[in-house]
Amino acid sequence: MNRVPLYVINNFLTFDRKIYQLFGLQLGRPIRLKSIFYFFLFGAVELLWYFTPFLGGLLHWIPAGILLAIPVTLAWLVSDIGTENRSPISYFRSFISFHRRKLEQVTYYKGRKIEKPKTFAVQGSCTFKERRKTKSQFKSAVYSFKGYMTYK
């Protein structure tokens, strides 16, 4: 029996689940279910931090309204960031490692570390000269560079 391969784009038809009302109260805009999950996750982490003996002292100084705004803001930021179909943890891990490598002044080529050039110097001159007009519709120009470029 001949089998025919069928190709389907699965990620094209993914839908985010959204909540439009809460306990019969219409919300102003739909809220993603993922955002609510992140709110409860950040709220639980904040509660654990609040009741930790020494570290909680820092959070006791913050007013209650701001303590509620912290998980709301973090959930909103994490749910609205485009993470390229990855979990936010793996996305932020690659984001942080990218910026750490950028600060190291090292670049990678085929998996090997290569030091970035520290200084660039161009010595010489670059000139531009336009040729005489000809009957053709395209203008011709001459560019010349005399000198050399070095980097260390």
Side-chain angles (χ1 to χ4, degrees):
M1 176 198 267
N2 293 336
R3 293 186 183 252
V4 177
L6 297 176
Y7 300 104
V8 180
I9 301 174
N10 287 335
N11 290 339
F12 183 69
L13 295 175
T14 57
F15 298 106
D16 284 335
R17 295 183 181 175
K18 296 181 181 180
I19 295 176
Y20 294 92
Q21 66 179 358
L22 191 63
F23 302 118
L25 175 67
Q26 290 287 337
L27 301 174
R29 65 183 196 110
I31 298 174
R32 294 180 188 161
L33 197 60
K34 187 190 301 186
S35 302
I36 293 172
F37 170 72
Y38 287 136
F39 169 75
F40 284 121
L41 179 73
F42 289 128
V45 169
E46 186 178 15
L47 275 175
L48 286 173
W49 192 4
Y50 189 81
F51 290 113
T52 303
F54 295 108
L55 296 176
L58 297 172
L59 290 181
H60 287 287
W61 293 346
I62 300 174
I66 294 176
L67 285 176
L68 181 65
I70 290 171
V72 170
T73 306
L74 289 175
W76 176 61
L77 288 174
V78 170
S79 66
D80 281 348
I81 291 174
T83 56
E84 301 167 354
N85 293 329
R86 296 185 281 178
S87 68
I89 294 171
S90 65
Y91 178 79
F92 284 117
R93 185 176 55 221
S94 67
F95 178 79
I96 290 168
S97 66
F98 168 75
H99 285 288
R100 184 178 41 91
R101 285 192 309 258
K102 195 173 176 182
L103 288 174
E104 287 178 357
Q105 297 294 322
V106 174
T107 187
Y108 290 88
Y109 177 72
K110 295 184 179 179
R112 295 180 185 168
K113 286 185 178 182
I114 299 173
E115 288 191 21
K116 284 187 178 180
K118 304 290 189 251
T119 58
F120 291 96
V122 178
Q123 296 177 352
S125 61
C126 182
T127 59
F128 168 75
K129 177 171 66 172
E130 190 172 333
R131 291 188 183 169
R132 285 187 248 153
K133 293 185 177 180
T134 59
K135 291 183 180 180
S136 71
Q137 59 182 346
F138 299 108
K139 293 182 180 179
S140 58
V142 175
Y143 299 96
S144 65
F145 176 73
K146 295 180 181 177
Y148 58 93
M149 187 166 118
T150 61
Y151 61 93
K152 294 182 181 181

